[in-house]
Amino acid sequence: MDTSRITSFVSGLWDAEIVPQLVEYIRIPNKSPMFDAQWREHGYMDQAVTLMETWARGKLSAFEGATLEVVRLEGRTPLIYIDVPAQGVQGKGTDETVVLYGHLDKQPEMTGWAEDLGPWTPVIKGDKLYGRGGADDGYAIFGSLAALLALRDQGVPHARCVILIEACEESGSYDLPYYVDHLADRIGNPALVVCLDSGCGNYDQLWLTTSLRGMTGGNLTVQVLEEGVHSGDASGVVPSSFRILRDILGRLEDPKTGTILPRELYVDIPPQRVEQARRSAEVLGTAVYDKFPFVEGMKPVTDDLSELVLNRTWRPQLAVTGIGGMPPLDSAGNVLRPKTAVKLSLRVPPTLSGAEAGRFLKQLLEKDPPYGAKVTFDLEKDGSGWNAPALSPWLEDAVAQASQHYFGAPAAYMGEGGSIPFMGMLGEKFPQAQFLITGVLGPHSNAHGPNEFLHIPTGKRVSMVVADVVARHFQEASKA
């Protein structure tokens, strides 16, 4: 395989077709169902599916016997299913399957975008494409097919490849198990799983994700009155719903340090992951934290870089992502409000059961309400995390070589703080599979927040790596 030809082919395809497709994709406000209850009526999800389906169908003629289907189970978000049979040779290795995964649904708008940017306004500045969803994770279907097309360009053989693009990931992938079960016979037993929905510590080398945290959370509401009353009349008599909420959250999180208090939400961190965190901290230095847009004078929770890596990858952490029951500042009268509600997002360790964490959280928050207040916690999500199995020698070697070929630097390994529910699901169903989890969400790319961007050169290089690894997989499978 000619790596320089892989580089030229993939880079040319990105420039000529993939970037323009992503520009049009960013324009579509296809928010995940959790953030758009009327997603069916609005039709944006179908628009995104059609855009990707149309482009992909135009490329499948390059592969003998390849098919594409938009699968639609009743009442669920759609899923794009692409099946590319083994190409280039018959016999050994052709009965194995590689699964390539991504998603097309998006996070909501979020505030704080720069004046010339916006979530649905694609803007190219230098080597960055700004807008919601390009990096998380619209590029996945294009990058996956670019990799396979690059192999086809040279006649390099590869095993059967199945591409799955879901439309519910940002809502916790609650539709995906139904599709995996529905398509189980067609998917088969994957030997290698490639996921392009993860992050990278920098844009200088290939980063493999070794673990993903799980997530649980929902809406916590504290109600003290049937309606608001004059604060001068009620304060000191009626307990504040906000104060009670703070007290309840104190059961979960130390308000001074942010440390999650219940030991039930912790696991023992494997020594290998501790060592990888140490090495990642050495590689990244202060980039572990200075990638974030801190206000002047702000500092991270600790100066120990290894501890920061472990905090964001293996320890439980809480974020309050929304608030209800409070009027905006310019219309906040002197009223003791009847209730306060917050949306909680609790990241949990990779090997902790998300379902068990969710049940524990609900019991912790609702028990013994202060003053007899009405306290409810409506659990919305409880996805488990994932801890990667040990890499086979061939995959570790393939990754090392691919990183040198296309990035010019060694590969690096680190856990990610976010969640990809599909990985935990596949890890349970296919414990013998190998996993290549990587992505383009690097410093300042700001997925889910304002000014999200896709670093185009990294998107290209990741596509090249996938081509290289898929080809290497076939070589190894053919030896078995």
Side-chain angles (χ1 to χ4, degrees), residues 34-337:
M34 182 179 289
F35 312 108
D36 183 6
Q38 295 180 292
W39 65 269
R40 294 180 187 83
E41 292 82 357
H42 291 152
Y44 300 129
M45 202 73 79
D46 286 336
Q47 289 180 30
V49 168
T50 298
L51 181 147
M52 293 181 176
E53 176 192 8
T54 301
W55 185 85
R57 285 194 187 280
K59 299 301 176 187
L60 291 186
S61 60
F63 306 102
E64 183 179 352
T67 60
L68 183 153
E69 179 184 354
V70 178
V71 188
R72 299 178 187 272
L73 295 180
E74 181 65 30
R76 303 200 176 277
T77 50
L79 177 135
I80 300 175
Y81 178 89
I82 300 174
D83 193 327
V84 179
Q87 300 288 308
V89 70
Q90 300 298 318
K92 275 191 169 183
T94 60
D95 57 345
E96 292 207 347
T97 297
V98 177
V99 169
L100 301 102
Y101 163 85
H103 70 88
L104 59 83
D105 55 314
K106 302 177 184 178
Q107 282 279 321
E109 295 86 342
M110 188 61 181
T111 59
W113 289 77
E115 187 174 342
D116 60 338
L117 303 174
W120 322 126
T121 305
V123 175
I124 297 177
K125 290 185 177 182
D127 54 12
K128 301 179 180 69
L129 170 58
Y130 287 86
R132 179 68 81 228
D136 184 23
D137 183 34
Y139 86 102
I141 186 172
F142 302 103
S144 296
L145 280 172
L148 300 184
L149 287 165
L151 298 181
R152 183 69 183 87
D153 176 63
Q154 294 188 46
V156 175
H158 62 77
R160 173 177 179 252
C161 292
V162 169
I163 300 175
L164 300 175
I165 306 296
E166 67 159 315
C168 191
E169 194 274 345
E170 300 292 5
S171 298
S173 292
Y174 57 75
D175 284 342
L176 192 58
Y178 297 92
Y179 281 106
V180 171
D181 288 342
H182 177 71
L183 297 167
D185 290 342
R186 294 166 65 181
I187 294 173
N189 189 5
L192 173 66
V193 177
V194 177
C195 171
L196 302 182
D197 187 30
S198 196
C200 52
N202 56 36
Y203 301 115
D204 302 322
Q205 58 202 121
L206 176 67
W207 287 81
L208 257 65
T209 298
T210 57
S211 63
L212 296 156
R213 284 190 294 188
M215 181 172 61
T216 189
N219 299 324
L220 173 63
T221 303
V222 176
Q223 183 173 1
V224 297
L225 296 167
E226 296 297 335
E227 59 185 14
V229 296
H230 193 300
S231 62
D233 186 26
S235 58
V237 177
V238 178
S240 160
S241 62
F242 184 77
R243 177 167 65 84
I244 294 173
L245 186 140
R246 284 190 302 166
D247 182 26
I248 292 172
L249 287 180
R251 303 172 181 176
L252 176 63
E253 178 190 54
D254 184 322
K256 291 184 178 180
T257 66
T259 300
I260 298 301
L261 299 174
R263 301 312 302 173
E264 291 88 343
L265 296 173
Y266 286 80
V267 301
D268 292 331
I269 305 174
Q272 182 189 30
R273 302 304 183 220
V274 175
E275 176 60 20
Q276 287 172 339
R278 184 192 64 77
R279 292 200 300 267
S280 295
E282 288 180 353
V283 169
L284 295 174
T286 59
V288 169
Y289 64 83
D290 62 19
K291 65 180 181 178
F292 300 111
F294 283 120
V295 298
E296 186 175 354
M298 184 69 184
K299 59 184 181 181
V301 298
T302 177
D303 294 329
D304 189 319
L305 300 179
S306 295
E307 288 299 298
L308 290 177
V309 174
L310 291 172
N311 280 350
R312 68 175 286 274
T313 58
W314 273 90
R315 295 188 180 123
Q317 301 289 339
L318 177 68
V320 177
T321 61
I323 192 162
M326 286 191 175
L329 297 177
D330 58 4
S331 58
N334 293 324
V335 175
L336 195 151
R337 296 171 298 99

